[in-house]
Amino acid sequence: MEAGDKAKQKEAAPLRVPIKRFSDEFYLYTFKIAPCKAEYPHNWSICPFAHPNEHACRRDPRVFSYEPVPCPHDRKGYKCPAGDKCPGTHNVYEYHLHPKRFRTQMCQQGAACTRPLCFFAHD
């Protein structure tokens, strides 16, 4: 394999972000809100930042007024006509990472929890 091929292979490698290392504040106000600045192809599902056309993108709860209640349109699989002005959540991240919900209940798995991102509190 030539040096140029190795460089291309390295560029296309998925971004490996150990999700558990982030602070609660990062999860609440940056995770899937702040735009990704990576200029190389990578796996969006493990990248903590928002990507164009990604369904997991969230609204910043400090900027947009919404409650941790699922939007009835989104829940039925329809596009919400209110968009960012909707008072409900449009995906699992908006719901669970809302400041009124995030880590307000204890994790049922406790110390045995192996979730890459757990929305629940641990001891």
Side-chain angles (χ1 to χ4, degrees):
M1 186 180 288
E2 293 181 22
D5 292 335
K6 284 183 183 178
K8 285 180 187 176
Q9 186 179 23
K10 186 177 180 182
E11 275 185 333
L15 183 62
R16 299 286 178 199
V17 178
I19 292 179
K20 286 189 177 190
R21 74 179 175 144
F22 299 116
S23 68
D24 286 357
E25 186 167 320
F26 180 89
Y27 287 124
L28 288 169
Y29 306 116
T30 306
F31 187 85
K32 295 296 183 185
I33 293 173
C36 182
K37 295 180 181 173
E39 295 180 2
Y40 50 87
H42 61 283
N43 185 343
W44 294 2
S45 67
I46 60 172
C47 179
F49 298 101
H51 301 86
N53 303 315
E54 179 182 25
H55 186 67
C57 291
R58 301 171 45 224
R59 294 171 285 175
D60 187 334
R62 298 170 297 185
V63 177
F64 297 94
S65 179
Y66 64 93
E67 292 295 316
V69 176
C71 167
H73 297 282
D74 190 70
R75 202 171 174 159
K76 292 177 183 175
Y78 301 119
K79 183 170 173 62
C80 176
D84 287 343
K85 294 181 182 179
C86 180
T89 60
H90 292 133
N91 63 51
V92 68
Y93 290 129
E94 277 194 347
Y95 179 77
H96 284 291
L97 293 175
H98 191 282
K100 290 182 181 177
R101 277 203 63 83
F102 185 59
R103 297 197 172 144
T104 58
Q105 297 173 323
M106 292 302 293
C107 178
Q108 298 281 329
Q109 296 178 18
C113 180
T114 58
R115 295 180 184 113
L117 165 56
C118 185
F119 302 123
F120 303 98
H122 295 90
D123 292 330

